[in-house]
Amino acid sequence: ELTGDLRGRASGAPLSLRELAASSTRAELTLASIRVQDSPRPQWPLRLESSDGRFLLAGGPGEALRIEADRGGAFSLQLGGALPIRGTAAGQLRSGRIESICQVESLDIRVLNTVLAKAANIIRFNTGNATGTLRISGAINDPDWDGALDIRGAELVFVPSPDPVGPIDTRLVFEQKEFYLPRTATRSGRVPLEAEGTFYLDHWVPEALELFFYIEQTPGVHIRYTFGPVYADGYASGAVRVRSDETGVLVQGKVQANTCRVALEREAPAPAEGPPGAPLSVELQIETGRTVEFYWPAMTFPVLRAYARQGEKLSLRLDGDTGAFALLGDVQIRGGEIFYF
């Protein structure tokens, strides 16, 4: 999220943008009080010029921004300097339609966190860079996107795990109103996994996403997270789907828990920091693997510790809207301990 105040002075400026390119205008502007994700940024000096049917807007930090257009609808855009997106675009705007080719020289992959904003409480990018070519065409209010961006050195945070996912070296492929991540091999900590996903665009705005993670190697990816009243610290293998749209975030999957300690009462705060994101719902089918232990009421000072048999089935459900929680299953216990104080 970027916010700021635009102020300045102009001479000869018309009252409408339509007349601007046909007029003779000079203006000096300042974009001040800039905040990006609530962090302050230096002000941007800008200049605006128009004459003989041409329009220019330029400035920013290190002359990072330059936009040119003419009364016929031809335009060009240059982004450089320290901006998170650097590159050029050129094309035509006419009769409510756009036709443009964009050359992306460098894209800070953290820009994609705007796509993931609703899912910020479960997934977000830490680092990475992308380059490529995109074609934007169609109705100006809802164009199609085609092309590809090559991603190098990206790192993804999956909040339930203390280990980041990466490095991710792959390609984002754009096709009309969506772009997708083909199935890509990477790691979480030292554990290999594969990921794929699709992102959906509507009127320039990312509306939904769907990501899949596949972990075949046991014991699996390290998980340390509080699911409603259940705190889990252990390892999981299997398949997980993350879906985010206007209704909230849903994590679904079928996993095997290994070397896992489970406390049946909240004893730790949610480990995630940052934007709260949309309501989080969880639907997981869990099979107990090796060394799954249940503690009650807490791991630190338990009254009961029980050891589950392998191959037992559990269902974990959490409704993000209502807070309703259920952990269902008939788990055979192979042993345990009762502590007296």
Side-chain angles (χ1 to χ4, degrees):
E1 180 183 356
L2 182 149
T3 61
D5 299 323
L6 184 64
R7 54 179 179 264
R9 61 181 185 273
S11 61
L15 296 179
S16 72
L17 292 176
R18 174 178 289 184
E19 299 168 335
L20 183 61
S23 69
S24 180
T25 302
R26 294 182 62 85
E28 294 180 0
L29 306 171
T30 300
L31 185 59
S33 303
I34 300 172
R35 300 188 72 84
V36 178
Q37 301 293 2
D38 284 334
S39 297
R41 294 291 188 272
Q43 65 183 22
W44 284 23
L46 299 168
R47 70 181 187 280
L48 185 151
E49 301 174 4
S50 66
S51 63
D52 301 323
R54 299 191 64 82
F55 163 85
L56 169 68
L57 178 65
E63 289 290 304
L65 170 69
R66 185 179 182 89
I67 302 173
E68 295 184 76
D70 64 28
R71 70 179 68 182
F75 73 91
S76 65
L77 167 68
Q78 297 178 33
L79 299 173
L83 296 180
I85 305 175
R86 300 196 298 273
T88 61
Q92 188 80 28
L93 289 168
R94 181 178 295 173
S95 302
R97 299 185 67 81
I98 184 173
E99 181 69 42
S100 177
I101 298 295
C102 306
Q103 301 289 343
V104 181
E105 298 173 5
S106 177
L107 168 67
D108 187 330
I109 206 68
R110 290 175 295 180
V111 170
L112 289 182
N113 287 337
T114 59
V115 180
L116 301 170
K118 294 177 183 177
N121 54 349
I122 201 74
I123 197 167
R124 57 182 176 268
F125 282 99
N126 259 356
T127 187
N129 191 266
T131 60
T133 302
L134 298 175
R135 175 175 178 257
I136 303 174
S137 61
I140 185 65
N141 66 333
D142 192 20
D144 289 336
W145 300 65
D146 294 282
L149 295 176
D150 292 315
I151 297 176
R152 294 292 178 267
E155 183 180 273
L156 184 72
V157 173
F158 182 56
V159 173
S161 174
D163 298 327
V165 177
I168 302 172
D169 298 316
T170 187
R171 168 171 285 198
L172 281 178
V173 181
F174 289 72
E175 293 183 353
Q176 298 183 356
K177 300 291 192 299
E178 63 185 48
F179 58 100
Y180 65 89
L181 173 75
R183 191 154 173 165
T184 300
T186 182
R187 309 181 76 83
S188 175
R190 297 183 178 181
V191 179
L193 63 80
E194 294 184 338
E196 62 181 339
T198 304
F199 306 79
Y200 303 93
L201 297 166
D202 182 26
H203 294 81
W204 295 82
V205 178
E207 284 296 312
L209 65 91
E210 193 171 34
L211 295 173
F212 294 87
F213 298 93
Y214 309 97
I215 308 102
E216 295 184 0
Q217 179 176 300
T218 56
V221 169
H222 190 186
I223 299 295
R224 187 169 64 222
Y225 197 69
T226 303
F227 300 91
V230 171
Y231 176 72
D233 185 359
Y235 296 83
S237 59
V240 173
R241 170 182 179 255
V242 179
R243 167 80 185 183
S244 174
D245 57 25
E246 68 280 359
T247 65
V249 181
L250 174 62
V251 177
Q252 293 176 306
K254 186 175 182 180
V255 299
Q256 182 184 74
N258 297 285
T259 316
C260 186
R261 299 182 303 159
V262 180
L264 300 180
E265 184 176 58
R266 182 187 298 272
E267 67 163 36
E273 295 181 357
L280 172 63
S281 297
V282 179
E283 297 177 0
L284 290 177
Q285 302 299 317
I286 304 168
E287 178 180 331
T288 57
R290 297 181 59 184
T291 319
V292 176
E293 304 175 0
F294 291 92
Y295 291 76
W296 182 84
M299 291 182 191
T300 309
F301 296 106
V303 173
L304 172 67
R305 179 167 67 182
Y307 309 102
R309 292 179 56 181
Q310 286 186 238
E312 300 300 298
K313 304 294 194 299
L314 289 167
S315 174
L316 187 153
R317 294 180 179 271
L318 174 64
D319 189 314
D321 290 316
T322 66
F325 174 85
L327 181 63
L328 306 174
D330 186 6
V331 177
Q332 297 295 316
I333 300 300
R334 61 180 178 85
E337 297 173 286
I338 297 176
F339 298 91
Y340 297 92
F341 298 95

